[in-house]
Amino acid sequence: MSQLTDALTSKTATGNGAGAEPGTGKHGRSPGKKPGKAPKIPQGRFSVHFAHYKWLYLLLLPGVIYFAVFRYAPMYGVSIAFKDYVPFLGVNGSQWVGFQHFEDFFSNPDFPRLLGNTLILAALSLLVAFPLTIILALLLNEVRLSILKRTVQTLVYIPHFLSWTIVASLSFLLFALDIGPLFQFINGLLGTHIDILSGPNWFRPLIVLQDIWKNTGWGTIIFLAALSTVDQDQYEAAIIDGAGRFRRVWHITLPGIRSTIIVMLILAIGQMLNTGFEQIYLMTNALNRSVADVFDTYVYFVGITQGAYSYSTAVGLFKSVVGIVLIFGTNWLAKRFNQSGLF
């Protein structure tokens, strides 16, 4: 009898846990309560998500305000491209004319010249300035002396912070007739009198050179950031295999930043019709106007100086639509070739 009592007592202690109080479950805890679990918070509620990431949303706020005020709010005025806008009547009071301004623009004799000048300048910038940005980034990436690298980076970044007015003034000082040092050097070297500032044949090379000097160094920032993510073990393996510096760049570096190059190329193609107003306007004169007139300057002359607000808005809207089509088309083409696109 005593053995049976001891066996029952041992079984009860094993089932309820040693030293457990009556009415408790395993490990001495009340039944129905799960240990170590925090109260469940609903994940789908935006308020909970916002409270958790409130500081990130606060950092995002200035950018949202900027785009809302300066990018999206002005879209309301795009409607005047389809109206005969009269300032005294306002946007809502002006009469609808449909696509009349677009028809006038496409039938304008200046349209082929404007399109040709814009595309030529954009193509020169894309074919010359864009590859030079990548080449400069590759050269900077190969510099191993830290002080030299930082010094060169600083020197090539500085021109980006100069306004186009200063760049144009420097160009006039350097290439001024008879007194410009570069004018005297070029004419002494070639033995002929060349008016670089006014000659139509020199306008496009001068614009491209200005763009290279001002923006190439600044454009290397993105590519240098992409170069820093390339796996260094691949370079070590290539060196062991006997690959030279050029082969390492061609087979490791460029494939490593291919996606960045494609994204930047898509964005550059989307901006082909935006040649920039300030630079072109400052370098334009009566002698080179035949090759200097582009869509940006045309919008200024027609819209601001002549008061054709609806017509100039139609020209700007045409540029924007073409830019969107180019971005989507280039992105689709990149996807077809199994490359990472913009989206």
Side-chain angles (χ1 to χ4, degrees), residues 180-306:
L182 289 182
F183 171 83
Q184 296 177 353
F185 173 76
I186 294 175
N187 285 275
L189 185 65
L190 299 178
T192 57
H193 183 81
I194 300 176
D195 188 0
I196 296 177
L197 293 176
S198 301
N201 295 330
W202 291 94
F203 176 79
R204 289 163 182 162
L206 185 60
I207 292 296
V208 174
L209 288 175
Q210 287 179 344
D211 187 35
I212 291 173
W213 181 73
K214 188 176 188 297
N215 294 322
T216 300
W218 184 256
T220 60
I221 294 178
I222 296 178
F223 294 108
L224 286 173
L227 287 169
S228 64
T229 63
V230 179
D231 188 7
Q232 298 298 318
D233 294 338
Q234 298 184 25
Y235 291 109
E236 297 176 2
I239 293 174
I240 294 174
D241 291 339
R245 179 163 296 185
F246 178 78
R247 287 189 174 275
R248 294 198 300 270
V249 170
W250 184 259
H251 293 288
I252 299 176
T253 307
L254 288 178
I257 63 172
R258 181 186 303 161
S259 59
T260 304
I261 294 175
I262 292 174
V263 170
M264 298 304 297
L265 180 62
I266 293 173
L267 294 176
I269 292 177
Q271 296 290 326
M272 283 191 68
L273 297 186
N274 295 327
T275 51
F277 164 74
E278 189 176 357
Q279 179 191 13
I280 306 297
Y281 177 75
L282 291 172
M283 300 305 299
T284 301
N285 53 59
L287 298 178
N288 61 18
R289 188 174 296 277
S290 60
V291 297
D293 281 337
V294 293
F295 288 132
D296 293 315
T297 56
Y298 182 73
V299 168
Y300 168 76
F301 287 120
V302 175
I304 303 300
T305 62
Q306 300 179 14

Side-chain angles (χ1 to χ4, degrees), residues 1-154:
M1 188 68 179
S2 59
Q3 295 178 357
L4 179 59
T5 303
D6 294 338
L8 290 175
T9 304
S10 176
K11 185 176 180 180
T12 304
T14 306
N16 295 334
E21 296 179 0
T24 57
K26 192 176 180 181
H27 305 297
R29 294 184 179 92
S30 300
K33 292 185 180 179
K34 295 183 179 179
K37 293 228 174 179
K40 227 174 165 185
I41 299 176
Q43 298 296 324
R45 295 180 58 184
F46 176 75
S47 58
V48 177
H49 180 78
F50 180 80
H52 187 68
Y53 298 103
K54 57 183 177 181
W55 298 115
L56 293 180
Y57 282 106
L58 185 62
L59 292 174
L60 184 65
L61 187 60
V64 172
I65 294 175
Y66 169 79
F67 277 96
V69 174
F70 296 102
R71 299 297 181 180
Y72 287 95
M75 287 185 181
Y76 172 73
V78 172
S79 60
I80 69 174
F82 306 95
K83 295 183 176 184
D84 184 13
Y85 175 68
V86 179
F88 298 102
L89 298 177
V91 176
N92 295 328
S94 300
Q95 182 182 2
W96 285 93
V97 295
F99 292 93
Q100 182 63 45
H101 299 302
F102 294 93
E103 295 175 2
D104 294 341
F105 176 57
F106 295 143
S107 60
N108 193 318
D110 292 331
F111 176 74
R113 179 172 60 88
L114 294 171
L115 182 62
N117 292 340
T118 304
L119 291 179
I120 290 174
L121 282 175
L124 288 174
S125 178
L126 190 65
L127 295 176
V128 178
F130 184 77
L132 283 179
T133 304
I134 303 174
I135 293 173
L136 181 59
L138 293 175
L139 292 175
L140 289 174
N141 188 59
E142 294 297 321
V143 177
R144 294 293 175 258
L145 188 59
S146 180
I147 297 178
L148 177 61
K149 183 176 182 178
R150 289 198 299 267
T151 303
V152 174
Q153 283 181 298
T154 303

